Amino acid sequence: MARNILVVGELEGGELSSTTAELLALGTRLVDGGAVSVTLLGSGAGDAAGAAFAAGADNAYVSSDAGYDDFRSDQWVGAVEEAMGQSSPDAVFIAQSMAGRDLGPRLAFRNDTAVAMDCVSVEDDGGDLKATRSCYGGSAQATYSFATSPAVATIRAKSQDPLETPNDGGGNTVELSGAGDSRSEIVGREAAVSEGLQIQDAPIVVSGGRGLGDPEGFEVVEELAATIGTDKAAVGASRAAVDLGWYPTSQQVGLTGKVVTPDLYVAIAISGASQHMAGCSGSKTIVAINRDPEANIFTAARYGIVGDYKEVVPALIEAVKNLD
Amino acid sequence: MHLVVCAKQIPDPETPPAAFRIDEANNEVIPAQGIPPVLSQFDGMAAEAALRIVEAAGEGKITVISLGQESAQAAIKQVLAMGADEGILLEDEALQGGDSYTTARTLAAAIEHLGDVDAVFCGRQAADWDMGQVGLGIAELLGWPSAIIGKDAKVDDGSMVVERVTGDGFETVSMPMPAVVTISNEIGDPRYPKLQQIMQAARKTVTRLSADELGLDPSTVGDAGARLKLERLFIPVVEGEVELMEGETAEEQAQALAAALREAKIL
Ligand SMILES: Cc1cc2nc3c(=O)[nH]c(=O)nc-3n(C[C@H](O)[C@H](O)[C@H](O)COP(=O)(O)OP(=O)(O)OC[C@H]3O[C@@H](n4cnc5c(N)ncnc54)[C@H](O)[C@@H]3O)c2cc1C
Ligand SMILES: Nc1ncnc2c1ncn2[C@@H]1O[C@H](COP(=O)(O)O)[C@@H](O)[C@H]1O
């Protein structure tokens, strides 16, 4: 059954975000003869339409109004509503981003329909959409169907593959209105993010937990990352370590922190609670360093060392230096 | 000033993975033996945010509302012990088994029933289903503005000012009241009630309201009104087995690990 799909796009530095491309590819897999549309809002939106067509969109609803650059729920909901009015979607896909966490429920409730948050898959099951997401802190997974239309789903970053070969057919661009009123106003902002490689982008993430014992423990974690290479490895932390004030919130990995999917994830003095694993279980290879052989992290790890990190990590730094 | 805290009782999210079980036939979590349900962590933090506002203002009332079973009294009492003034338990056959939509609808109806509410505080997400939508749903149904994932909130000159966590730092948002705020763990640990407060809480009133008393048509709430249908609940299989590095010393183990990672072309 042909269905129309609307993807709420996001821009990063004026360019189509990689997650938007993933959502568009998901759209093309489920559209079944209908149309995949995308909304693009903010500076650079008009230029990003080309990238969206290549990533799978048939139609782009754009407004390059800089008023959309900062996410304000009221304005974005208004714009997406306008695009929904024109594209009559059967399903709306939104990234599980900071914007998407707000937009998903707002849009769904405004349209008298349901939203499934943070989905890792959406499938066509005999004509019905079924969305699967993790719950209970990552201990369980739940599959839902939608009793109302459109089905709204926010989708976890990197859970979907982008198109293998870009589309070259182009598409239609439709102008949306500029940003309307917002009841909320952003009155202050503070950047608190580490310089350089971000944990979501790093091919290797080395994380420390409460078992480090003190904030100084992160020094050896950072040294290990630096030895691997600052262009490859970034440093993350468990929530317990962040809550203790040992490491910045922006570096938290997990259910309520960031989701990372590196080639290598090294968990140092982290027990591997389900809520932590929710943020790193998509890693290709997990290495655990923990003095407790019973720690849950070893059930998810490919390689492990049972021992005191104070001895193991310095030794590992030396061993990495001596490779080649 | 009248603030509402929405508090949910959930299975303890710190239940060890080995004790976590699912009844796949009924798509339900089987309560772990000897581990009592708890107040969802972020809801205690939402209560903390509301209490700070009342303390700063030197006046104000806090009502805590929970939709759930009889046992949810415990969650309500916990927030009362922290310092909230009144409790409401929404417990009724017709209200059971809903989804985020029916939950938000029921809570919104209770908030409207109170009539004079200036702000609603919710957790960023309930730590059972991890949805993170009820607070926004209440805001949408009541037509109020909202700010999510707050680490602190204050009332300034009649506006609700929320410091919130973003992907790359913090942002301060100001909005007119009434408004909905959802709170995250960055606010810090909520206050721990003193014994005397726990005893006082035992005497505070908890009002019960039914779907009928809230003027809710039973077909729009609970299981009957749910729009998201749970088809399957299961425990994901983790594949593979860990290879523990052998060696007499940390050095030998570390060398074995580095070699294994090199062998696998990861390092
Ligand atoms: C709703 C909810 C959301 C949550 N969200 C997140 C989230 O996003 N991210 C997150 O990380 N957590 C999250 N948590 C918390 C999670 O449940 C755990 O409490 C947390 O991950 C524990 O952090 P940890 O592993 O660093 O600490 P612990 O569980 O205390 O583990 C410390 C580990 O260090 C080991 N250790 C101690 N000393 C040494 C040593 N010298 N050498 C080697 N090993 C040592 C111990 O054996 C232990 O395994 C959440 C919880 C809830 C309820
Ligand atoms: N049954 C409930 N009773 C009271 N508050 C609830 C209930 N369900 C959800 N909430 C509130 O809404 C927040 C988000 O829940 P959710 O959208 O289910 O993740 C929770 O942290 C609570 O503050």
Side-chain angles (χ1 to χ4, degrees):
Chain A
M1 186 194 61
R3 54 170 77 85
N4 291 327
I5 289 172
L6 179 66
V7 168
V8 177
E10 289 186 49
L11 304 174
E12 268 168 20
E15 312 242 339
L16 194 76
S17 78
S18 55
T19 315
T20 304
E22 292 157 17
L23 268 54
L24 286 168
L26 172 67
T28 63
R29 290 192 276 273
L30 295 169
V31 62
D32 204 6
V36 179
S37 303
V38 64
T39 60
L40 297 168
L41 302 171
S43 308
D47 295 337
F53 297 143
D58 302 302
N59 307 303
Y61 293 86
V62 303
S63 171
S64 303
D65 184 348
Y68 288 118
D69 288 1
D70 289 326
F71 172 78
R72 290 184 206 81
S73 185
D74 286 343
Q75 296 170 326
W76 275 60
V77 171
V80 178
E81 282 260 294
E82 194 184 340
M84 285 173 77
Q86 297 186 43
S87 62
S88 313
D90 302 294
V92 181
F93 298 150
I94 306 169
Q96 173 78 359
S97 57
M98 278 298 157
R101 287 169 209 255
D102 192 316
L103 205 54
R106 278 267 177 196
L107 264 183
F109 277 83
R110 190 157 308 178
N111 286 281
D112 263 327
T113 187
V115 56
M117 303 296 291
D118 202 11
C119 300
V120 293
S121 86
V122 183
E123 279 165 1
D124 186 329
D125 182 16
D128 291 330
L129 288 183
K130 297 255 168 79
T132 299
R133 56 186 299 278
S134 81
C135 53
Y136 285 89
S139 293
Q141 291 207 334
T143 301
Y144 294 93
S145 61
F146 298 82
T148 47
S149 178
V152 183
T154 67
I155 313 283
R156 178 173 288 199
K158 303 210 176 77
S159 63
Q160 311 297 318
D161 292 323
L163 290 188
E164 247 167 61
T165 43
N167 271 358
D168 54 11
N172 313 310
T173 302
V174 183
E175 286 290 327
L176 288 179
S177 314
D181 292 336
S182 170
R183 288 171 291 184
S184 60
E185 197 189 334
I186 300 168
V187 295
R189 189 166 275 153
E190 186 193 328
V193 70
S194 66
E195 299 280 305
L197 191 61
Q198 300 300 303
I199 52 171
Q200 311 95 285
D201 308 325
I204 298 177
V205 176
V206 184
S207 288
R210 174 155 50 199
L212 293 178
D214 50 44
E216 287 72 44
F218 271 98
E219 286 167 15
V220 325
V221 176
E222 285 178 344
E223 197 185 327
L224 175 59
T227 307
I228 294 168
T230 46
D231 56 333
K232 285 205 212 74
V235 176
S238 73
R239 183 174 123 188
V242 169
D243 281 351
L244 285 161
W246 297 354
Y247 224 60
T249 299
S250 61
Q251 304 310 106
Q252 182 185 316
V253 172
L255 180 68
T256 49
K258 293 196 167 122
V259 176
V260 299
T261 50
D263 296 331
L264 174 63
Y265 187 80
V266 185
I268 303 172
I270 290 176
S271 62
S274 59
Q275 295 92 352
H276 184 80
M277 301 319 293
C280 64
S281 59
S283 308
K284 283 214 188 83
T285 302
I286 296 177
V287 166
I289 298 170
N290 196 302
R291 71 173 174 202
D292 173 10
E294 300 296 316
N296 191 55
I297 188 76
F298 288 118
T299 62
R302 171 75 185 81
Y303 304 104
I305 295 182
V306 177
D308 187 337
Y309 86 90
K310 287 187 181 157
E311 291 168 18
V312 174
V313 179
L316 186 57
I317 291 169
E318 284 312 309
V320 171
K321 279 188 190 153
N322 292 336
L323 282 176
D324 290 329
Chain B
M1 190 159 43
H2 189 180
L3 308 180
V4 161
V5 173
C6 295
K8 184 178 189 186
Q9 189 183 52
I10 60 164
D12 191 341
E14 317 260 1
T15 301
F20 184 83
R21 296 264 189 303
I22 282 173
D23 169 0
E24 293 203 12
N26 293 305
N27 286 340
E28 278 172 2
V29 169
I30 302 169
Q33 281 274 323
I35 305 180
V38 296
L39 170 68
S40 184
Q41 276 197 337
F42 302 114
D43 300 358
M45 295 162 182
E48 176 65 37
L51 285 161
R52 287 184 193 175
I53 286 178
V54 167
E55 277 162 2
E59 61 92 20
K61 174 171 135 183
I62 298 176
T63 302
V64 46
I65 308 182
S66 189
L67 163 62
Q69 318 258 355
E70 181 61 37
S71 65
Q73 287 258 15
I76 294 177
K77 292 282 181 188
Q78 191 173 333
V79 179
L80 290 174
M82 285 175 71
D85 302 282
E86 284 174 19
I88 297 177
L89 176 62
L90 308 171
E91 193 249 359
D92 180 348
E93 190 66 35
L95 297 175
Q96 302 295 327
D99 64 353
S100 306
Y101 171 79
T102 59
T103 302
R105 189 176 160 82
T106 308
L107 291 170
I111 291 157
E112 272 183 320
H113 180 86
L114 289 171
D116 59 349
V117 175
D118 298 291
V120 173
F121 288 82
C122 289
R124 62 173 289 169
Q125 64 201 54
D128 49 0
W129 295 101
D130 299 322
M131 273 291 189
Q133 48 171 294
V134 166
L136 285 155
I138 293 171
E140 190 60 38
L141 292 168
L142 296 174
W144 296 359
S146 54
I148 62 167
I149 319 190
K151 74 181 282 254
D152 207 2
K154 58 179 195 276
V155 174
D156 186 12
D157 206 11
S159 294
M160 179 63 72
V161 180
V162 182
E163 195 187 338
R164 51 184 301 272
V165 184
T166 62
D168 50 11
F170 305 97
E171 159 183 292
T172 310
V173 171
S174 171
M175 58 190 176
M177 301 207 290
V180 176
V181 183
T182 81
I183 297 291
S184 186
N185 53 287
E186 284 79 5
I187 192 173
D189 285 338
R191 66 195 61 194
Y192 200 76
K194 298 193 188 70
L195 186 61
Q196 191 196 3
Q197 289 178 303
I198 295 172
M199 279 152 60
Q200 277 166 357
R203 290 194 297 271
K204 288 182 188 170
T205 45
V206 176
T207 311
R208 282 158 183 285
L209 290 174
S210 63
D212 196 31
E213 285 165 304
L214 292 173
L216 289 167
D217 176 344
S219 70
T220 64
V221 290
D223 188 39
R227 292 158 176 207
L228 209 53
K229 304 282 182 195
L230 181 61
E231 302 281 345
R232 190 172 164 229
L233 185 65
F234 58 101
I235 296 179
V237 242
V238 200
E239 284 159 30
E241 205 163 304
V242 66
E243 192 179 318
L244 292 179
M245 296 300 125
E246 311 216 352
E248 290 294 313
T249 62
E251 282 70 25
E252 284 174 25
Q253 291 172 323
Q255 276 158 15
L257 177 59
L261 293 174
R262 170 55 56 92
E263 170 85 24
K265 298 199 170 59
I266 298 168
L267 274 189

